[in-house]
Amino acid sequence: MTPAARVQAAIECLDLILAGQAAEQVLTGWARRSRFAGSKDRAAVRDHVFDALRCRRSFAALGGAETGRGLMLGALRSAGIAPETMFTGDGYGPASLTDAELDAGRDPDPGAEEGDVPDWIWPLFVAALGDEAKASAAALRHRAPVHLRVNAARSTPEAAMEALRNDGIETCPHAGSPHALEIRDGARKLRQSEAYLTGLVELQDAASQAVVMALPLDAGMRVLDYCAGGGGKSLALAAQPGVEVFAHDAAPERLRDLDERAARAGASVEILSGDDVAQSGPFDVVLCDVPCSGSGAWRRAPDGKWRLTPERLEELRAVQAGILDDVMPLVAPGGIVAYATCSLLSVENEAQIEAFLFRNSGWHCTFQKSWPVTGGTDGFFSAHLTRD
């Protein structure tokens, strides 16, 4: 595919996404229909689409329209590329620009448009982040780095870096967590690398790793990852010496490959169904990485910020509060509920902790920390609620 043909493919995908289809489904469907597209073509089209979704409002302003053509026109103008070099009408590239398209476009307005977030979310950003709101929104406009967690049960960061280098993958330590590496080159080779296939490393954001490392874990503790999702934090917990780890998720299908991943990592994680959770307690630590807006990870899933509504945010807040109340009976005396989100919004973070303590006596907060998206990681929040 020519560069112009890749732009046209991105335009077609973006129009479907703007019409309401999920980005991943659209890209998967395009790839299946486009057997002529090689791996580099698919990667380039995907990058175009995700860059446009991250910068949807500012690119629409620069391009003069919130359409596939408008977003890609804005993307080219933002990158300093003359749009006429791509919009030529030749071959499989996009049709030539009209006079109206050539004349359209403006600089994005300060605030929500410049920061590429919906208008209704911008006040929540400012309330939660203050002077860092603009910088945080700007960070979410760029691609997320690729982080790895070195499996402490099998390797050291130095040895893992060498093993990855042998597979053509260059990494460096990341300050977000002691076992975190950032891939500098060769990320697309990871899943076929010996280091990954033998369980020396796992994909996991450094702040997500830091949430686990912040837990006060000792040998002999029983730890439940209550909202385990795919099980990334479960595996990180299982890498801690002497800790007995259990995993549960309300959607059990998310855990379908955890046994295989645990075997690869040499880890032991017991998966619990809903009926088994209460019978297997009490636990010394219950980690609840609750469903949330995902605002701290919007650069990984940028269509999430355009799909979020005020009503959905309120639904999520109710779910979060419900999970906190549901896990209380699972915690042993002196034990901890570790609440976590990948959200930047205080209504999902500090406000939930304050509300929990207000409605529940016999608990106190012993730890609270935010990991900003401006620090080179996803945005995360965690707090430890200790039972008296």
Side-chain angles (χ1 to χ4, degrees):
M1 295 176 69
T2 65
R6 291 170 173 176
V7 169
Q8 176 59 27
I11 288 171
E12 295 169 7
C13 290
L14 285 165
D15 281 334
L16 293 173
I17 295 166
L18 292 170
Q21 295 188 38
E24 289 292 353
Q25 292 177 351
V26 168
L27 286 165
T28 299
W30 173 82
R32 286 175 177 167
R33 294 190 302 273
S34 307
R35 300 298 184 184
F36 56 85
S39 60
K40 291 183 179 179
D41 296 321
R42 293 193 298 271
V45 171
R46 182 183 181 86
D47 287 346
H48 282 327
V49 168
F50 274 79
D51 287 345
L53 291 175
R54 291 185 191 98
C55 303
R56 176 171 159 177
R57 295 197 67 185
S58 61
F59 283 4
L62 290 167
E66 196 168 8
T67 62
R69 278 178 69 87
L71 292 180
M72 289 311 302
L73 178 55
L76 292 171
R77 286 173 172 163
S78 177
I81 300 171
E84 297 87 343
T85 63
M86 294 290 180
F87 287 72
T88 63
D90 295 335
Y92 296 98
S96 298
L97 296 168
T98 65
D99 290 341
E101 287 175 321
L102 287 169
D103 293 338
R106 58 174 175 78
D107 290 335
D109 294 331
E113 188 173 66
E114 182 182 48
D116 285 298
V117 296
D119 286 332
W120 72 271
I121 288 177
W122 185 245
L124 298 178
F125 259 55
V126 174
L129 304 166
D131 293 341
E132 290 298 307
K134 182 176 180 179
S136 297
L140 292 172
R141 299 178 74 249
H142 300 284
R143 299 177 197 177
V146 181
H147 294 166
L148 304 174
R149 177 181 57 79
V150 177
N151 182 358
R154 286 200 165 172
S155 188
T156 65
E158 295 76 18
M161 289 173 65
E162 181 62 27
L164 289 162
R165 189 176 298 116
N166 291 337
D167 290 321
I169 303 167
E170 291 297 326
T171 59
C172 64
H174 192 283
S177 182
H179 305 297
L181 301 177
E182 181 172 338
I183 296 183
R184 310 298 296 187
D185 188 52
R188 289 193 167 97
K189 302 176 183 177
L190 178 67
R191 292 189 184 275
Q192 277 68 51
S193 69
E194 189 72 12
Y196 181 80
L197 294 173
T198 57
L200 298 187
V201 295
E202 278 277 347
L203 281 162
Q204 189 176 22
D205 181 77
S208 179
Q209 298 178 45
V211 167
V212 173
M213 295 303 294
L215 295 171
L217 300 177
D218 291 318
M221 281 188 170
R222 307 177 79 248
V223 181
L224 171 64
D225 186 1
Y226 186 76
C227 306
K233 290 184 177 66
S234 300
L235 293 175
L237 287 164
Q240 305 304 306
V243 176
E244 189 177 3
V245 180
F246 303 82
H248 164 77
D249 197 89
E253 64 273 12
R254 296 176 185 166
L255 293 167
R256 60 182 176 271
D257 65 346
L258 180 56
D259 284 338
E260 178 184 341
R261 293 169 64 199
R264 187 175 68 220
S268 176
V269 179
E270 183 176 346
I271 299 175
L272 300 177
S273 68
D275 294 336
D276 294 336
V277 170
Q279 298 172 5
S280 300
F283 302 94
D284 300 295
V285 176
V286 178
L287 172 60
C288 301
D289 185 1
V290 297
C292 69
S293 66
S295 50
W298 274 344
R299 53 187 172 181
R300 299 185 190 277
D303 55 339
K305 64 179 168 182
W306 310 115
R307 291 177 175 273
L308 185 68
T309 64
E311 294 76 19
R312 178 56 181 158
L313 181 58
E314 285 307 304
E315 290 174 1
L316 287 166
R317 294 185 69 239
V319 169
Q320 293 158 6
I323 288 173
L324 280 173
D325 290 341
D326 288 345
V327 300
M328 288 171 51
L330 303 177
V331 182
I336 290 173
V337 171
Y339 177 85
T341 74
C342 56
S343 172
L344 303 176
L345 307 179
S346 56
V347 293
E348 298 184 275
N349 296 337
E350 294 89 351
Q352 288 286 25
I353 300 307
E354 292 173 6
F356 175 87
L357 294 174
F358 178 78
R359 65 179 182 269
N360 293 292
S361 60
W363 294 80
H364 59 283
C365 183
T366 52
F367 173 88
Q368 187 168 290
K369 182 174 180 177
S370 295
W371 288 265
V373 73
T374 52
T377 68
D378 287 349
F380 262 88
F381 170 86
S382 187
H384 299 171
L385 299 163
T386 302
R387 181 190 282 269
D388 294 341

